[in-house]
Amino acid sequence: MSTDRMRCRVADARVRSDQRETLEDLIYKLFERRHHDYVAGQEKDWLTMELIQSLRRESEIYREELSTQTHGPLPFALGYFRLHGDTLRLTTDEVPANVEGRTLVRFLSEFLEPGARLWFGGEEGSGWEIRGRDELRSLPDAQADLSSQKN
């Protein structure tokens, strides 16, 4: 995992009621593993494999589209979110940048209702709106969308 961080914003991120418990468990698991990069040697290899297998068990999109049995992105940024009622919210303005924003949004699309929007990076960043499970729409101007949220 890189120590690099990226700015993140989220809007209208309502959790699918049938996925709330699973998402809550994944958030907690990835929060606990946020220091994964500091583990060394064979233990790190074993922990990586165990985490990939756990993500594959919990997420159809991760299993079918984002990973193999032994390799896949580790979305540690998820550990920087929290559930508040039926809404997914950030606990910070920046998240680990070890996974591309689009990949994280694809993963989250299994757990969030259509209409959720997430942006990564600063003014020149990228944003996506979730339209359905593994269906995203690129947002043309992240800064314009963020400004409209304030009004």
Side-chain angles (χ1 to χ4, degrees):
M1 177 170 80
S2 170
T3 57
D4 292 340
R5 307 196 48 89
M6 63 183 162
R7 294 192 59 73
C8 183
R9 297 281 183 263
V10 62
D12 301 323
R14 290 181 321 278
V15 179
R16 296 174 190 262
S17 59
D18 63 330
Q19 293 289 346
R20 188 182 198 293
E21 189 174 309
T22 301
L23 182 58
E24 194 167 45
D25 290 345
L26 287 170
I27 289 169
Y28 183 72
K29 181 176 293 190
L30 289 160
F31 175 77
E32 284 185 321
R33 299 285 186 96
R34 68 193 180 280
H35 300 297
H36 184 80
D37 205 34
Y38 297 115
V39 179
Q42 288 184 329
E43 183 178 3
K44 182 174 184 172
D45 294 340
W46 183 85
L47 288 171
T48 298
M49 183 79 69
E50 188 273 330
L51 185 54
I52 289 169
Q53 289 301 311
S54 178
L55 290 167
R56 288 174 59 83
R57 279 191 302 276
E58 301 296 338
S59 168
E60 186 177 316
I61 290 173
Y62 190 83
R63 181 175 56 252
E64 294 179 3
E65 303 294 332
L66 300 175
S67 69
T68 67
Q69 288 194 1
T70 57
H71 292 89
L74 298 176
F76 290 109
L78 186 58
Y80 292 78
F81 287 85
R82 290 291 171 258
L83 296 182
H84 295 278
D86 67 345
T87 303
L88 183 69
R89 296 188 181 161
L90 280 163
T91 61
T92 181
D93 290 341
E94 294 184 337
V95 296
N98 68 305
V99 171
E100 291 181 10
R102 185 176 191 284
T103 301
L104 182 60
V105 178
R106 286 183 70 194
F107 177 75
L108 284 171
S109 73
E110 184 169 350
F111 303 99
L112 299 178
E113 295 284 348
R117 295 185 310 268
L118 293 98
W119 297 269
F120 298 90
E123 291 181 21
E124 301 298 318
S126 300
W128 294 271
E129 178 181 17
I130 294 173
R131 306 291 243 162
R133 293 182 76 248
D134 207 16
E135 292 180 41
L136 308 180
R137 178 179 70 94
S138 183
L139 297 171
D141 184 348
Q143 191 59 34
D145 255 357
L146 288 173
S147 296
S148 71
Q149 290 297 306
K150 295 177 185 175
N151 298 331

